[in-house]
Amino acid sequence: PALPHFSDFTEMMRALGYPRLISMENFHTPNFMLVSEVLLWLVKRYEPQSDIPGDVETEQDRVFFIKAVAQFMATKAHIRLNTKRLYQADGSAVKELLKVTSVLYGAMNTQGGERAHPPEEDSTKFKFDLGSKIADLKAARQLASEITSKGAVLYDLLGKEVELREARTESIARPLEINEAEKVMKIAINSVLEEVQKTKDMLNNVALDEANLEAKIEKRKLELERSQKRLQTLQSVRPAFMDEYEKIEEQLQKQYSTYLEKFRNLTYMEQLLDDHRRAEQEMFEEAANMLRLIQSRLKEEEQHLLKSGGNDDSDIEIQEDEGSDSEGNLQITRQRISTEALLPG
């Protein structure tokens, strides 16, 4: 992937005095060793007395290193770094490295004078002077804070000097008594001897505790060896029921496959039965609709025949004969339709 502002990063690192040459090919793939080396160099450049460990062999060490660098930059330089991008150690890590290098590069340009294009040798000398000045600045800040605290303590002590002067002059003016001094010295000697005896007793107790701990360690080692031997014997011995268990497991697999097959067949048959019942229901409904249609037509024909009953007798007889024939045909047709409708059931 394309590395944004990569040329600026390389130029800044070269101007700050990084000993190695950095190219675009170094960050095409994750290169954690280079990123950790650059971060450690920048931290040392910012504060030479920093104690960040440079061990990045394991994954835990790398995570600890990235967190330590991010915390250092957040507390000391007020620079917020993205630990995820730094851990990726590819092109995205360059954006985070630019945050630190731009601050150092800006400080170098601010302190480096008003020359637009200084020579390369002068810039190299200035780079080394910049590091020493940063260290001196931090030492000066620390000394200023210590001077302030010491001055406050000295002010409090000078405020008590009025009372202490009287006690001091009184103690100096008082004559020294040999008996009291001897008594005080004996008390001090006895207290020191008691402390020495207590220290010896503590040393003896430490030796006893050490012996007890060694005995416990030996006992635990013996228990561990016995447990390991027992574990090895248990692992080597095959249980008596394992053969039967394997056979039953094979039978269970067969029964399960049979069960799956029967379950699929049962589901398929139920689906066929539902389709058959649905088809029968549709046939019954169609036959009922056809029967109602024929009945309505027959009623219309009967009404038409009844309306034409005002003709002559011969016509009536003929119509009666025809009516009897039509009525017979109508009954035969009804019986046939009802029989055909009941046949599918």
Side-chain angles (χ1 to χ4, degrees):
L3 301 177
H5 308 291
F6 189 85
S7 59
D8 298 338
F9 175 69
T10 55
E11 291 296 326
M12 288 180 185
M13 291 298 293
R14 189 181 296 110
L16 290 173
Y18 188 69
R20 291 178 54 185
L21 293 177
I22 302 174
S23 65
M24 189 184 301
E25 302 294 331
N26 296 129
F27 293 97
H28 277 301
T29 58
N31 192 352
F32 192 87
M33 299 303 293
L34 179 59
V35 172
S36 63
E37 183 180 353
V38 172
L39 284 173
L40 190 60
W41 186 83
L42 291 173
V43 169
K44 294 292 183 182
R45 186 68 184 231
Y46 193 84
E47 186 174 355
Q49 290 83 12
S50 62
D51 55 349
I52 295 177
D55 189 10
V56 291
E57 294 295 329
T58 62
E59 182 179 357
Q60 187 176 3
D61 294 337
R62 293 182 178 183
V63 173
F64 180 78
F65 175 79
I66 293 296
K67 287 184 178 179
V69 171
Q71 186 177 4
F72 175 83
M73 288 299 173
T75 54
K76 299 294 183 181
H78 302 287
I79 299 173
R80 185 177 180 182
L81 298 177
N82 192 337
T83 56
K84 184 178 180 181
R85 290 181 179 177
L86 288 176
Y87 191 81
Q88 289 177 359
D90 53 4
S92 59
V94 178
K95 295 181 180 180
E96 306 301 320
L97 294 174
L98 270 171
K99 296 178 182 179
V100 184
T101 54
S102 60
V103 173
L104 294 175
Y105 187 76
M108 186 185 71
N109 288 336
T110 304
Q111 197 70 17
E114 299 295 332
R115 291 179 297 174
H117 300 284
E120 187 175 358
E121 295 180 356
D122 295 338
S123 63
T124 306
K125 293 179 181 178
F126 175 75
K127 286 182 288 187
F128 291 106
D129 294 336
L130 179 63
S132 62
K133 288 181 180 179
I134 290 175
D136 294 340
L137 178 61
K138 291 189 176 296
R141 287 180 179 176
Q142 186 176 0
L143 290 174
S145 61
E146 290 180 359
I147 289 169
T148 305
S149 61
K150 296 292 184 182
V153 174
L154 182 61
Y155 179 78
D156 295 335
L157 294 176
L158 291 174
K160 297 177 182 179
E161 176 64 20
V162 178
E163 299 176 358
L164 294 175
R165 186 186 299 114
E166 296 178 358
R168 186 170 62 252
T169 54
E170 184 180 356
S171 298
I172 293 170
R174 188 175 60 185
L176 182 62
E177 296 182 0
I178 302 300
N179 295 327
E180 291 182 358
E182 185 178 0
K183 188 186 295 185
V184 172
M185 291 298 294
K186 286 181 179 180
I187 293 171
I189 291 169
N190 292 328
S191 64
V192 171
L193 291 175
E194 289 178 359
E195 290 181 357
V196 170
Q197 188 62 34
K198 288 180 181 179
T199 306
K200 289 181 179 179
D201 294 337
M202 290 175 65
L203 290 174
N204 294 328
N205 293 330
V206 168
L208 292 174
D209 293 338
E210 186 178 357
N212 293 329
L213 288 174
E214 288 179 355
K216 288 181 180 180
I217 290 170
E218 291 295 331
K219 186 178 178 181
R220 295 294 183 183
K221 285 182 179 178
L222 293 174
E223 291 179 358
L224 178 61
E225 290 178 359
R226 286 198 297 269
S227 300
Q228 288 179 352
K229 290 180 180 178
R230 186 178 178 184
L231 177 61
Q232 291 176 0
T233 53
L234 290 174
Q235 288 178 351
S236 60
V237 175
R238 182 180 176 84
F241 56 85
M242 281 302 295
D243 297 335
E244 185 179 0
Y245 173 77
E246 291 177 355
K247 291 180 181 179
I248 293 173
E249 192 174 10
E250 292 178 359
Q251 293 178 3
L252 178 63
Q253 289 294 118
K254 293 179 181 179
Q255 292 292 334
Y256 182 69
S257 60
T258 306
Y259 165 74
L260 287 178
E261 184 178 359
K262 289 184 178 181
F263 183 77
R264 286 197 297 268
N265 293 335
L266 178 61
T267 307
Y268 179 67
M269 296 300 292
E270 288 178 352
Q271 184 180 0
L272 291 179
L273 181 60
D274 293 338
D275 295 341
H276 183 66
R277 287 177 179 174
R278 195 180 299 107
E280 286 184 351
Q281 185 68 25
E282 291 177 357
M283 290 175 63
F284 290 155
E285 291 177 357
E286 186 177 357
N289 294 330
M290 185 64 70
L291 184 60
R292 286 195 295 269
L293 182 62
I294 292 173
Q295 287 178 356
S296 62
R297 287 181 181 178
L298 291 176
K299 286 180 181 179
E300 290 177 359
E301 290 180 358
E302 288 178 358
Q303 291 176 2
H304 181 69
L305 291 173
L306 291 174
K307 286 180 181 180
S308 62
N311 295 330
D312 53 356
D313 295 336
S314 60
D315 294 334
I316 291 171
E317 292 176 357
I318 293 170
Q319 288 176 359
E320 286 179 355
D321 295 336
E322 292 178 354
S324 62
D325 295 336
S326 62
E327 289 178 356
N329 294 329
L330 179 61
Q331 292 177 357
I332 293 168
T333 305
R334 287 178 179 178
Q335 291 177 358
R336 186 179 300 169
I337 291 170
S338 61
T339 305
E340 290 178 356
L342 293 173
L343 280 175

